[in-house]
Amino acid sequence: MFGDILRFLLEITFMLFGAALIVRAWIHAVRLHPFNPLSRGIYQVTNWLVLPIRKIVPAGSVLDWPSLLAAWLTAMLYLVLTWLVVMHTLIPAALLPAALGASLLMVARWTLNIIVWLTFLQAILSWVNPMSPLMPLLQTLTAPLLEPIRRILPNWRIDLSPLVLFILAQIVLMMLSRVIFMLSGV
């Protein structure tokens, strides 16, 4: 029972921090103003890890490589600690390449979870309170994902692109979860 509780706490902690690192990279990609309250909060939470990496790996014009590398390292640490909690030993050296790949897929999984939650929140707010101060932020973050879907879908009165994105993200999440389990056993 203690192992299950510890594993749950590890998953929540690392998922939230990994999500913050991914959102930081996303903020960089959509060029959200650095003084936006979300940006400032994310920077304060993640600067301790991203800034030292940034001294070695420069940020790209579109992709924030230090944030993505930090998310990958966070996922790797999560997998190692989870393996340690479950198996009571370190990951064998033979499984290290699989763990490296699984941690990359874990970052993709966290990214898809963020997409699902942002899309869901934006859809709910568009029905409940479309004039919410949070709506412009959500639209800025989700527009690069929803616009290609909107171009493909027929132009109806109802915007179904969030639903399509939600379903696609869930399908990919299911596939990624299975591959991560096959690679790492966690």
Side-chain angles (χ1 to χ4, degrees):
M1 183 163 133
F2 177 72
D4 291 337
I5 293 170
L6 187 56
R7 185 174 176 191
F8 170 74
L9 292 174
L10 279 173
E11 183 175 350
I12 292 297
T13 304
F14 279 87
M15 183 186 66
L16 288 175
F17 186 67
L21 290 165
I22 293 164
V23 169
R24 181 182 176 123
W26 201 338
I27 286 169
H28 178 83
V30 297
R31 303 206 187 297
L32 194 63
H33 198 279
F35 292 117
N36 180 294
L38 174 70
S39 302
R40 293 179 67 192
I42 294 290
Y43 291 158
Q44 288 176 352
V45 169
T46 59
N47 271 346
W48 67 271
L49 182 58
V50 174
L51 292 182
I53 294 173
R54 187 161 282 157
K55 292 178 182 175
I56 301 167
V57 179
S61 61
V62 176
L63 293 177
D64 186 13
W65 292 109
S67 296
L68 294 174
L69 181 59
W72 179 72
L73 292 172
T74 301
M76 186 65 196
L77 182 61
Y78 165 72
L79 289 176
V80 168
L81 290 176
T82 303
W83 184 278
L84 186 62
V85 166
V86 171
M87 302 296 187
H88 305 294
T89 182
L90 289 175
I91 294 179
L95 292 179
L96 231 67
L100 294 172
S103 61
L104 187 62
L105 294 175
M106 184 69 66
V107 171
R109 182 175 161 203
W110 291 340
T111 304
L112 288 167
N113 276 324
I114 294 167
I115 290 169
V116 165
W117 282 105
L118 288 177
T119 305
F120 183 71
L121 183 60
Q122 181 180 356
I124 295 297
L125 273 179
S126 71
W127 298 329
V128 175
N129 186 5
M131 301 308 288
S132 168
L134 194 57
M135 281 303 283
L137 173 67
L138 290 171
Q139 289 171 343
T140 301
L141 292 174
T142 60
L145 304 170
L146 293 173
E147 287 305 319
I149 297 171
R150 286 181 181 136
R151 284 192 293 264
I152 295 171
L153 289 178
N155 192 6
W156 295 330
R157 289 184 186 208
I158 299 173
D159 183 14
L160 296 176
S161 59
L163 178 64
V164 171
L165 179 61
F166 185 81
I167 291 170
L168 290 174
Q170 286 292 357
I171 290 169
V172 176
L173 265 171
M174 285 186 251
M175 294 186 315
L176 275 178
S177 294
R178 181 154 307 201
V179 172
I180 290 169
F181 182 77
M182 288 182 347
L183 284 175
S184 68
V186 179

